[in-house]
Amino acid sequence: MPFGAVTSALPGRRLAGWRQEGGREGGKEGSWERASEREAGAIERVLRDYSDKHRATFKFESTDEDKRKKLCEGIFKVLVKDIPTTCQVSCLEVLRILSRDKKVLVPVTTKENMQILLRLAKLNESDDSLEKVSEFPVIVESLKCLCNIVFNSQMAQQLSLELNLAAKLCNLLRKCKDRKFISDIKCFDLRLLFLLSLLHTDIRSQLRYELQGLALLTQILESAFSIKWTDEYESAIDRNGPPLSPQETDCAIEALKALFNVTVDSWKAHKESDSHQFRVMAAVLRHCLLIVGPTEDKTEELHSNAVNLLSNVPVSCLDVLICPLTHEETAQEATTLDELPNDKTAEKETVLKNNTMVYNGMNMEAIHVLLNFMEKRIDKGSSYREGLTPVLSLLTECSRAHRNIRKFLKDQVLPPLRDVTNRPEVGSTVRNKLVRLMTHVDLGVKQIAAEFLFVLCKERVDSLLKYTGYGNAAGLLAARGLLAGGRGDNWYSEDEDTDTEEYKNAKPNINLITGHLEEPMPNPIDEMTEEQKEYEAMKLVNMLDKLSREELLKPMGLKPDGTITPLEEALNQYSVIEETSSDTD
């Protein structure tokens, strides 16, 4: 259908005729209603055709820009009329399509038009309930339009502040918090709340403190997951239950994204009084990690957003990610062991070691899920900075702050070394994959991968080198000033690592640079005369001197504090130390 036919159906002659019919008095009411129905039906048909044609259109021709502007203006003129619900939905569907074009929104983004959409979305405070199911499609389409308009129009973003849109959205969420069959309303309400909190830092603060958004959004998650609490921070997990529905999953994802914005600075500073709320949220996120969505991709998206949000939770509140075994779990573990004969001690130890979900009497399921999630992101081989660094950073901070988590992850990632014939970066274990990342081209990725392994080794240089080799760890050690050995600044328990017999036997022949076992190589200078050795030494000195003078290579040395510096400066510092020491003597 030609574009002109669409525009003529709305703002011009037909609407004028509609107003004339509606203005008649007396016995003409019946004819007014019939005319209104006819006009509404005509408008609806034209708009439906336009919507079907442009449903997948995201780029528009600039030649039709003026016509699209007129169409937008006409739609708002129709929406203020008392028209049937189906006609309202058709108008809003076309408006949603047109709102993808930023240029079209400039003349129609006014306070009056925003208020029209707020009224249709039941965001006015006078609307007390959501009882009419027939109005739900109008509410959903209005929220979709507001999402597009707020995202694409700076004027709409300013009007959102003026109209206190965030408070209205929270009010609508409270109305439908515990209601079923209105997931679409919640989903787009949450999406709009996410956009507002993303675009305005002031709204984040308003949501956090004035509107109690942290508690509200956490309750939305509880409702989406149908959580049943068994203790203050523990929920019941139905392992045989069905996966989340697509609607529940979408709602949960939007709530997680909004919560991320609300809590984005929480790890830096938070009140002690907020600790309980953060622990409740962390417990909800633990539940989130232990359930699945309708598809594998949706499950990964759900868990990805949960990981991002956990990164905002103060690390002291992340202890709820692990919990003591329940009586049923303890009894089940004991039953498994009792089934083995008493003389099968080795088999019993194997059962305990293979139970990867349990460590030191604690349920580690959530941490195990995070570890598997991290490994999947490594295996993808792309988008490491966006996809991998959040979960690596989360696991690093958890390991640094919580001993049981660190020891569990150490057992999973860095088990006792037995086979040291291959380089640390060669292989398919989690350790091999993380060591490969230590020399990644992305500085942020290699830093966080090295930091994670360093923390698992209790920030002890000798322990790290055992698992990675000096060559892979050199970047981290140089940045930390630990090239000369030692340990980091954080305190860890003093329990000692135990080496396997295989490692102890191979240790004398392990190449410290590469970190793997090498057969003894013949020394090439053993068969040289003293004159040949001196010649080769001077040849090497001359080559290094040439490279240094041409600034292709810069000799470096270690300062007393373990950091690297130009060789001359390092030698000067050692000379000063020796002079000071001799003066003291």
Side-chain angles (χ1 to χ4, degrees):
M1 179 173 290
F3 201 98
V6 179
T7 54
S8 65
L10 295 174
R13 171 177 45 79
R14 295 189 181 224
L15 281 177
W18 194 357
R19 287 193 293 272
Q20 290 170 6
E21 290 285 346
R24 296 173 186 169
E25 299 178 358
K28 300 293 185 180
E29 290 184 3
S31 62
W32 178 87
E33 291 176 359
R34 287 191 296 273
S36 297
E37 290 174 2
R38 288 194 300 273
E39 288 291 336
I43 292 171
E44 185 179 344
R45 286 192 298 274
V46 173
L47 289 175
R48 193 180 295 120
D49 290 342
Y50 182 83
S51 178
D52 291 340
K53 180 180 178 181
H54 295 280
R55 195 175 302 278
T57 301
F58 291 89
K59 292 184 179 180
F60 298 89
E61 296 292 335
S62 58
T63 53
D64 291 332
E65 186 177 315
D66 290 337
K67 293 180 180 180
R68 290 196 300 276
K69 289 178 181 178
K70 291 180 181 179
L71 180 54
C72 277
E73 293 169 353
I75 287 174
F76 277 109
K77 289 179 181 178
V78 171
L79 287 174
V80 298
K81 301 293 181 181
D82 185 16
I83 56 175
T85 300
T86 54
C87 188
Q88 287 180 324
V89 172
S90 296
C91 287
L92 291 167
E93 285 178 347
V94 172
L95 183 61
R96 170 170 52 84
I97 293 170
L98 295 172
S99 61
R100 298 167 183 167
D101 185 359
K102 294 182 179 181
K103 295 179 180 179
V104 166
L105 294 177
V106 174
V108 295
T109 307
T110 64
K111 186 175 181 178
E112 293 75 16
N113 288 342
M114 289 285 287
Q115 287 174 324
I116 291 171
L117 292 175
L118 295 185
R119 174 179 58 81
L120 293 172
K122 297 296 180 184
L123 289 172
N124 290 334
E125 295 177 1
S126 58
D127 296 319
D128 296 327
S129 62
L130 297 171
E131 298 298 335
K132 295 182 180 179
V133 177
S134 61
E135 294 179 343
F136 287 0
V138 177
I139 299 173
V140 172
E141 283 300 327
S142 300
L143 289 170
K144 288 180 181 179
C145 289
L146 284 168
C147 286
N148 280 0
I149 292 171
V150 168
F151 181 72
N152 286 320
S153 169
Q154 290 187 347
M155 177 60 71
Q157 294 165 20
Q158 293 301 320
L159 288 172
S160 299
L161 293 174
E162 185 180 336
L163 294 168
N164 200 14
L165 181 54
K168 297 178 188 295
L169 289 167
C170 287
N171 187 41
L172 180 60
L173 274 180
R174 290 187 177 93
K175 293 177 189 176
C176 60
K177 184 175 60 178
D178 298 320
R179 298 279 304 277
K180 301 293 184 182
F181 311 116
I182 52 176
S183 297
D184 284 345
I185 296 178
K186 282 196 289 188
C187 183
F188 289 102
D189 184 307
L190 290 164
R191 182 170 298 178
L192 185 51
L193 207 56
F194 161 72
L195 287 172
L196 289 174
S197 57
L198 176 69
L199 297 167
H200 286 288
T201 55
D202 293 341
I203 288 181
R204 296 176 199 168
S205 179
Q206 181 191 15
L207 277 170
R208 174 79 181 276
Y209 300 107
E210 180 186 333
L211 301 175
Q212 302 299 311
L214 192 60
L216 173 62
L217 292 170
T218 303
Q219 289 168 4
I220 293 293
L221 282 177
E222 288 184 48
S223 175
F225 298 146
S226 301
I227 290 180
K228 296 178 182 178
W229 296 104
T230 59
D231 203 346
E232 187 176 20
Y233 303 123
E234 292 181 33
S235 61
I237 305 294
D238 184 3
R239 305 183 193 287
N240 298 318
L244 283 180
S245 68
Q247 294 80 10
E248 290 170 336
T249 305
D250 288 339
C251 276
I253 289 171
E254 296 300 332
L256 290 168
K257 287 157 62 177
L259 267 171
F260 178 85
N261 289 342
V262 174
T263 61
V264 71
D265 295 323
S266 299
W267 63 275
K268 295 179 181 177
H270 72 285
K271 300 177 182 177
E272 192 62 32
S273 58
D274 292 336
S275 293
H276 168 69
Q277 187 59 54
F278 277 116
R279 277 192 160 84
V280 171
M281 187 172 73
V284 171
L285 293 175
R286 177 184 183 274
H287 187 100
C288 175
L289 291 172
L290 300 181
I291 57 179
V292 296
T295 65
E296 187 175 344
D297 288 343
K298 276 295 180 182
T299 299
E300 183 174 353
E301 185 180 359
L302 183 68
H303 289 177
S304 177
N305 282 284
V307 167
N308 291 339
L309 181 53
L310 279 169
S311 300
N312 288 349
V313 176
V315 70
S316 60
C317 300
L318 293 176
D319 53 346
V320 299
L321 289 177
I322 61 175
C323 57
L325 292 179
T326 63
H327 294 301
E328 293 79 4
E329 290 170 331
T330 305
Q332 183 179 2
E333 186 177 359
T335 302
T336 304
L337 292 175
D338 290 341
E339 290 174 354
L340 293 171
N342 291 331
D343 59 341
K344 299 290 186 180
T345 305
E347 285 81 350
K348 288 187 177 183
E349 291 179 358
T350 303
V351 170
L352 287 172
K353 289 179 180 178
N354 288 340
N355 190 350
T356 56
M357 306 297 181
V358 178
Y359 185 86
N360 200 21
M362 304 294 286
N363 186 321
M364 294 287 181
E365 284 182 289
I367 305 301
H368 195 262
V369 170
L370 290 173
L371 189 60
N372 287 338
F373 179 84
M374 178 199 74
E375 189 172 6
K376 286 181 181 177
R377 287 297 171 94
I378 294 176
D379 292 340
K380 277 192 171 181
S382 61
S383 302
Y384 281 156
R385 181 173 286 273
E386 298 81 11
L388 178 62
T389 54
V391 66
L392 263 178
S393 178
L394 173 63
L395 290 174
T396 302
E397 293 306 316
C398 285
S399 300
R400 185 176 277 126
H402 302 289
R403 179 173 178 265
N404 277 328
I405 294 178
R406 175 180 58 79
K407 290 176 72 68
F408 170 76
L409 287 172
K410 172 75 180 296
D411 278 359
Q412 298 292 312
V413 177
L414 301 176
L417 286 175
R418 297 185 185 279
D419 182 10
V420 288
T421 56
N422 293 321
R423 291 173 178 256
E425 65 270 21
V426 176
S428 58
T429 65
V430 182
R431 169 196 165 217
N432 301 140
K433 296 172 183 178
L434 286 169
V435 172
R436 284 198 289 271
L437 289 179
M438 294 176 74
T439 54
H440 195 269
V441 293
D442 189 309
L443 182 62
V445 172
K446 75 176 186 178
Q447 282 179 339
I448 191 60
E451 186 76 12
F452 177 50
L453 292 175
F454 194 43
V455 170
L456 292 187
C457 295
K458 296 184 287 188
E459 299 191 20
R460 288 171 44 186
V461 173
D462 56 344
S463 180
L464 178 69
L465 296 182
K466 180 172 74 173
Y467 288 102
T468 67
Y470 198 93
N472 292 313
L476 172 75
L477 300 181
R480 288 290 203 99
L482 294 172
L483 284 170
R487 62 186 307 166
D489 299 328
N490 294 286
W491 181 89
Y492 297 88
S493 59
E494 293 299 326
D495 49 304
E496 293 293 330
D497 295 330
T498 55
D499 292 333
T500 62
E501 287 299 322
E502 294 91 334
Y503 180 78
K504 289 178 181 178
N505 294 332
K507 188 174 180 179
N509 295 320
I510 291 177
N511 185 319
L512 297 179
I513 302 299
T514 61
H516 81 299
L517 182 66
E518 288 184 351
E519 294 297 328
M521 300 287 290
N523 191 338
I525 68 172
D526 285 344
E527 299 178 0
M528 290 184 182
T529 63
E530 291 300 321
E531 291 79 7
Q532 287 176 318
K533 292 178 183 178
E534 184 176 351
Y535 172 78
E536 292 295 336
M538 290 306 300
K539 182 178 177 182
L540 180 61
V541 168
N542 292 332
M543 290 172 63
L544 290 173
D545 180 60
K546 181 180 179 182
L547 291 172
S548 177
R549 281 187 284 103
E550 295 177 357
E551 296 186 352
L552 297 175
L553 178 147
K554 193 170 188 179
M556 306 293 283
L558 281 179
K559 295 196 293 186
D561 63 0
T563 57
I564 57 175
T565 189
L567 184 59
E568 294 179 0
E569 184 178 336
L571 293 174
N572 290 336
Q573 289 198 16
Y574 278 109
S575 299
V576 171
I577 291 174
E578 289 178 0
E579 290 175 4
T580 305
S581 176
S582 60
D583 291 343
T584 304
D585 294 340

